Amino acid sequence: MHDLLQLQVRDLEVQVLTGVYSEETHLPQPLRISITVDMAPGDPFRPDTPLSASKSYLDLKHAATGALPQGVHFTLIEGVADHIVETLMTGDARIRRVEVEIVKLAIAEADERIGITLVRYRR
C-alpha cells in the first residue's frame, strides 16, 4: 500500500460559459466546483516542513477559477472538469489523481445536486 496525501477544495461557486441548449449558451452559468487531488507525499511532515513539500490549496482554487479561459464556451461541464484536471496535472508531476465534481446550480429546483464527477489518473 502506498502513502497518499489528499488535498481538497470544496464548493467554489464559479460563473462559466457552458451549456447545450440555447437558453444556456449566451450567459455564464453558476457552477459549484469541488476538487480532490491525490498526490504522493514525501518524507513525514514536521512542524517546520516547507509548503514545497505539499501543494498550495490556492493552486486547486486557481485551476477552477483564474485558469478557466475567459470568453470560452464549454458545451459540456465535462469539458470544464477536464480543463481543471489538465491544469493541475500539467503543473505538478507528484499528482497521481484528480477528482472534479461540478454541480449545475441554475437547474436545481429543490436543492438537488445535478452534475458530474470526473476522475482522471496520471498515466
Side-chain angles (χ1 to χ4, degrees):
M1 199 155 238
H2 299 283
D3 291 342
L4 177 69
L5 173 64
Q6 286 191 323
L7 292 101
Q8 300 175 343
V9 173
R10 295 269 171 249
D11 300 327
L12 294 169
E13 289 197 21
V14 182
Q15 297 287 325
V16 180
L17 283 169
T18 185
V20 175
Y21 304 108
S22 60
E23 63 271 14
E24 298 177 314
T25 60
H26 61 290
L27 293 173
Q29 289 191 55
L31 303 177
R32 181 171 292 133
I33 301 174
S34 295
I35 304 167
T36 300
V37 169
D38 293 354
M39 56 188 301
D43 294 329
F45 295 100
R46 307 282 183 225
D48 61 345
T49 300
L51 177 58
S52 61
S54 183
K55 184 156 190 69
S56 174
Y57 305 105
L58 295 177
D59 292 341
L60 278 65
K61 182 176 180 180
H62 174 73
T65 57
L68 289 175
Q70 294 293 316
V72 172
H73 178 268
F74 291 87
T75 304
L76 302 174
I77 59 175
E78 289 86 337
V80 176
D82 256 329
H83 190 278
I84 293 168
V85 169
E86 179 78 17
T87 299
L88 290 167
M89 290 260 192
T90 300
D92 195 325
R94 298 172 299 172
I95 294 175
R96 298 177 179 169
R97 174 187 171 272
V98 178
E99 178 177 319
V100 179
E101 177 183 291
I102 300 178
V103 176
K104 293 184 79 169
L105 299 174
I107 63 174
E109 295 175 353
D111 291 331
E112 67 266 286
R113 296 170 47 93
I114 300 170
I116 60 109
T117 300
L118 177 69
V119 178
R120 295 261 190 230
Y121 293 85
R122 183 171 300 281
R123 296 173 197 198

